[in-house]
Structure formats: structure tokens, C-alpha cells
Amino acid sequence: MALFYLWFRLKMRLDKYLSQSTGFSRKEVKKMLHKGMISVDGEVTKDASLHVAADAHVLMEGYPVEPPGDKYIMLYKPEGFVCSNDDGTHPTVVSLIELPRADELHICGRLDVDTTGLVLLTSNGKWAHRITSPKHKTGKVYRVETADPIPQEAIEQFETGLMLASERFRTKPARLEILSEHEALVTLTEGRYHQVKRMFAAIGNRVVGLHRESVGAIELDEMLEPGEYRFLSDAEVESVQ
Ligand code: URA
């Protein structure tokens, strides 16, 4: 089971939480509370002023009530999971998210099944678009391990752009920072199919390990283990313009 990491961005009064989430008025919600129809984390409560966090399990007459508002999540994608809402072969990243209707979340920039690291998911389609559209030039940083040594001239080749097999346009300028003979950080502002692997293939090398560390100003939280996730803070959400 994925561990649920949270910043309590959504901590709010229970009556407000219920009203905003379900559309019932505060007065109606208070009546339901009074009748013992609401439970929080397994305990029936009549306290309208109780402060609930985003990870609380809130039930109304036994049915789960989602936290109100859009959801913004960072997940540490483990190997072996696909960035898809539905897949016949591999488990999906959304299966790691323990929220109702997690399969309706937008996956902002997909990673290959064998790539690990930061995946952002949201219910806000416009926000997802700002991350994935090359027009917004959101930098995505990948830590890459290669089969062969990475030559210095690769820095300029990545900066100039490379022609990838069966594509008509050069890749956009990418930053390559060589960390050691076989390790580098690559920053891309676009997300073509298998792009990092194909860029290294274009210079005669092979990627043997790939991990996404950050997307724009949002860095993978080092407190997360593979398979774990947490909600984004307000500052992280607002960093995507
Ligand atoms: N580039 C790749 O080749 N694979 C990924 O998963 C992400 C970027």
C-alpha cells in the first residue's frame, strides 16, 4: 500500500469541507452532523468546527467525500509502473494513488516503464497543459546513467539540438551537465517519445538508468520512497505559470 505523504494544505473546518465538496449548504451539513451521518477517520463526529486534513477519510452516510478543490500530487514513480490511466500489461501510476477517481487525474509528462522519479498528477487540465506544452518551456531535469563514457562535445551537441530517427525537427536546446564518466543531468523543455534515450542513442551512447528529479521549480521530495506520494504545497502549485 502506498504511504500517504501530505502537507496539510487542505486543512479546513469540517462543515466547510463537506459543503464545498458536496454542494449541500452549511445549514444542511450541520443537520447531517447532528444526526450522526458523518464520520472522520472511522469516528462519527458532530463537531462542525473540527479541522480536517486532506488525508482524512470523511464519510457521509457511509460514502467517501473527496477533499474540495483541484488536486495536485507528486508521486515517486517506481520502476515497472506505466504512466497511463489504464494498461493491460503493467500496473499504472494511478493505481498508487489512494483517492476516489484517481484514474481521472491528468498525468503531467509521462515516464517510460523503466524510468523512475517525479511524476505530477492533477485534476486541473490547464495546469497539466502548462507543464507539458513546450511553449511554456518548463524544464524537466533527468539524472542519466550511460553504458559508455559521456564525451565533453555532447554538451554542445545537446545545446545545438539533435536530429532523432524518423523526426523532421531538431530537438530544442537541452542542457547537459556531466557529473562523472557515466552520469549526467539533462534538462529538457519538451517531451518527445523516449527523448533522453533517443538523444543519447543519436550520439552513439545508451541510457542504462533514468530518473526524473524535477519539473520546473518542483523537486522530488527526498522524504518520499518509490511508490509514495504527497499533495503539493500552494507554493509548488503556484510555481507553474
Ligand atoms: N526520456 C526518455 O527517454 N524516457 C523517459 O521516461 C523520459 C524522458
Side-chain angles (χ1 to χ4, degrees):
M1 186 172 84
L3 277 176
F4 205 24
Y5 250 100
L6 291 167
W7 286 0
F8 294 145
R9 190 169 89 74
L10 281 166
K11 207 159 188 176
M12 64 163 74
R13 277 178 63 105
L14 180 57
D15 55 351
K16 188 173 172 193
Y17 178 111
L18 290 167
S19 168
Q20 287 193 358
S21 189
T22 63
F24 286 114
S25 68
R26 291 253 197 134
K27 206 168 151 191
E28 287 167 322
V29 160
K30 280 191 178 130
K31 275 191 198 152
M32 290 185 213
L33 281 160
H34 189 69
K35 287 184 186 164
M37 291 161 68
I38 310 297
S39 72
V40 177
D41 293 334
E43 299 273 337
V44 172
T45 180
K46 297 188 174 185
D47 183 1
S49 66
L50 182 77
H51 275 72
V52 278
D55 63 339
H57 284 102
V58 180
L59 301 182
M60 182 181 270
E61 288 198 286
Y63 291 98
V65 183
E66 283 184 58
D70 275 318
K71 285 154 197 67
Y72 302 90
I73 292 168
M74 74 157 71
L75 167 75
Y76 186 160
K77 179 193 171 301
E79 244 187 280
F81 284 73
V82 286
C83 283
S84 146
N85 300 67
D86 186 23
D87 189 87
T89 322
H90 296 94
T92 65
V93 290
V94 291
S95 70
L96 295 166
I97 310 292
E98 295 170 339
L99 286 178
R101 308 214 308 267
D103 57 342
E104 291 173 16
L105 293 171
H106 300 272
I107 303 167
C108 314
R110 292 165 190 246
L111 296 180
D112 298 335
V113 68
D114 55 351
T115 303
T116 59
L118 177 62
V119 172
L120 298 172
L121 301 108
T122 181
S123 55
N124 181 338
K126 280 192 186 152
W127 192 84
H129 179 72
R130 286 205 290 275
I131 288 188
T132 49
S133 152
K135 221 175 73 191
H136 287 88
K137 297 200 172 100
T138 307
K140 288 116 192 153
V141 180
Y142 295 87
R143 186 172 286 263
V144 188
E145 209 190 316
T146 58
D148 298 316
I150 307 164
Q152 284 299 320
E153 57 267 28
I155 296 174
E156 206 181 315
Q157 291 172 302
F158 274 47
E159 178 60 37
T160 309
L162 293 159
M163 282 310 293
L164 302 181
S166 70
E167 295 225 3
R168 288 173 53 215
F169 302 104
R170 273 182 190 284
T171 53
K172 297 219 169 356
R175 183 178 142 79
L176 177 69
E177 187 187 341
I178 300 173
L179 302 175
S180 66
E181 227 186 6
H182 292 263
E183 202 182 10
L185 291 177
V186 176
T187 308
L188 301 183
T189 56
E190 53 181 350
R192 302 190 201 185
Y193 183 65
H194 294 328
Q195 183 163 346
V196 175
K197 291 174 187 163
R198 289 163 72 214
M199 285 176 79
F200 277 92
I203 59 165
N205 206 332
R206 187 165 59 85
V207 171
V208 293
L210 189 55
H211 176 85
R212 185 155 67 196
E213 296 199 333
S214 63
V215 172
I218 304 173
E219 290 176 9
L220 181 61
D221 190 329
E222 53 189 36
M223 300 289 285
L224 294 176
E225 297 287 337
E228 292 182 345
Y229 64 96
R230 69 159 169 82
F231 285 102
L232 298 186
S233 66
D234 286 347
E236 286 170 326
V237 173
E238 284 154 19
S239 72
V240 178
Q241 298 293 337

